[in-house]
Amino acid sequence: MRLSTVILPDRRWSEGGRAAWQRAEELGFHTAYTYDHLSWRTFRDGPWFGAIPTLTAAATATSRMRLGTLVTSPNFRHPVTLAKELISLDDISDGRITLGIGAGGSGFDATALLKDGQEPWTPRERADRFGEFVPLLDRLLTQDVVTHEGEHYSAFEVRNIPGCAQRPRLPFAVAATGPRGMKLAARYGQAWVTTGDPKLFETGTPEQSRAAVAGQIERLGAACEELGRDVSELGKTMLTGFSPDRPLDSVDAFVDFAGSHAELGIDEIVVHWPIADSVFAADVAVFEKIATDGLAQLAG
């Protein structure tokens, strides 16, 4: 089991941003991720910085901890430009980048680039784009020269030399719960990401949430089997904060949560860095105790 964190890009680098990433490394987190959004829900009218520049700065401020997005989506990204940025970021970080990637949702990212009166993509359209986005990004990160003429994306003799520091490319952690996304995770992912079942967040129970995650892992296994891949080859990441569980209430609560999810096959737990007066508010002392002692107690 690995313990990671998400540090939202909501602070100026000189006013707590740098310190948070450095503290995350000091606490021993396996990976520190950040959201790749233009803005997000209740944080929309406050400070919010770009994911790639933030991760670039974090790469220069840390030396051991892995870094990544959780998650990047096609909502406002193009695979050609994204690939160039990721190759550069992977080089600057000395090969410490993981790309969390998903189909995107219906929030602000989905409407920011629309013309007046234009409708955002439907779930089917987002899935269609995701299905083309991931394979093309895979090619762009592994081949020196790529030409592609697709339904949604084009690339003409695009050069990406020298490629990623990590070979054959930086790892993909694919967020997916539906059948099409599961197949992409099975084919292209080095890890799979879930937040549980969002329908259970407000009215469900922890037991129901675990059952839903178990069902998702079962469907992931079926997608891998269909492609002739062993599902054990994929890491399985649980992003907390969107299920009925409250793992940051205490060290014991975290140990119980992590243990029950380890039994399902989850091998990475991601917790949000505390943000006061927000949906991610938590006791900082408890959070840091979980970071330093939580996995040790789980192993004991």
Side-chain angles (χ1 to χ4, degrees):
M1 177 66 76
R2 300 182 302 277
L3 179 59
S4 300
T5 189
V6 169
I7 302 174
L8 267 60
D10 65 327
R11 282 173 285 184
R12 290 191 182 277
W13 194 245
S14 61
E15 299 174 1
R18 178 193 294 108
W21 291 87
Q22 292 176 328
R23 182 58 177 158
E25 184 166 77
E26 291 172 358
L27 291 170
F29 282 106
H30 178 270
T31 304
Y33 299 97
T34 197
Y35 284 4
D36 188 13
H37 292 301
L38 297 174
S39 59
W40 191 77
R41 299 188 187 181
T42 57
F43 295 86
R44 184 183 189 185
D45 294 320
W48 192 272
F49 295 92
I52 301 297
T54 296
L55 289 170
T56 303
T60 65
T62 60
S63 60
R64 304 180 307 278
M65 177 176 66
R66 290 193 63 83
L67 309 165
T69 58
L70 208 63
V71 294
T72 294
S73 81
N75 268 353
F76 64 95
R77 294 288 187 186
H78 190 287
V80 169
T81 52
L82 177 61
K84 186 66 72 175
E85 292 182 345
L86 290 172
I87 287 171
S88 304
L89 179 56
D90 200 43
D91 178 66
I92 292 167
S93 69
D94 196 23
R96 290 186 287 134
I97 300 300
T98 295
L99 178 71
I101 187 168
S106 57
F108 308 126
D109 294 347
T111 58
L113 302 182
L114 297 182
K115 297 179 180 179
D116 185 35
Q118 188 176 1
E119 292 296 320
W121 302 332
T122 65
R124 176 181 288 276
E125 288 173 319
R126 290 199 300 271
D128 289 343
R129 288 178 178 268
F130 193 45
E132 186 178 339
F133 193 101
V134 174
L136 177 54
L137 187 61
D138 174 73
R139 291 181 59 202
L140 289 162
L141 293 174
T142 55
Q143 301 175 16
D144 289 347
V145 183
V146 173
T147 293
H148 171 82
E149 185 70 35
E151 183 177 353
H152 303 290
Y153 304 104
S154 297
F156 179 69
E157 294 187 0
V158 173
R159 267 69 169 172
N160 278 317
I161 302 169
C164 293
Q166 301 175 85
R167 294 295 183 175
R169 60 158 166 76
L170 54 80
F172 289 178
V174 181
T177 56
R180 296 175 67 183
M182 291 283 194
K183 289 180 180 179
L184 288 172
R187 182 178 298 277
Y188 296 99
Q190 283 63 59
W192 163 77
V193 182
T194 184
T195 58
D197 184 342
K199 296 191 294 293
L200 299 174
F201 178 42
E202 294 185 349
T203 60
T205 65
E207 293 76 18
Q208 289 173 323
S209 179
R210 287 195 296 272
V213 172
Q216 291 172 353
I217 293 176
E218 184 176 346
R219 294 192 295 277
L220 179 67
C224 286
E225 184 176 3
E226 185 176 335
L227 292 172
R229 187 175 184 186
D230 187 342
V231 70
S232 66
E233 295 177 5
L234 273 75
K236 299 167 188 67
T237 299
M238 177 77 182
L239 173 60
T240 65
F242 304 98
S243 72
D245 310 275
R246 299 184 60 85
L248 295 184
D249 279 359
S250 67
V251 176
D252 287 344
F254 171 80
V255 171
D256 288 345
F257 175 86
S260 63
H261 284 75
E263 291 176 356
L264 301 177
I266 297 294
D267 54 28
E268 181 182 26
I269 301 290
V270 185
V271 293
H272 286 84
W273 196 265
I275 302 176
D277 302 319
S278 78
V279 292
F280 301 126
D283 186 298
V284 174
V286 171
F287 176 84
E288 294 202 350
K289 188 70 171 175
I290 288 170
T292 57
D293 296 356
L295 292 187
Q297 290 195 25
L298 178 63

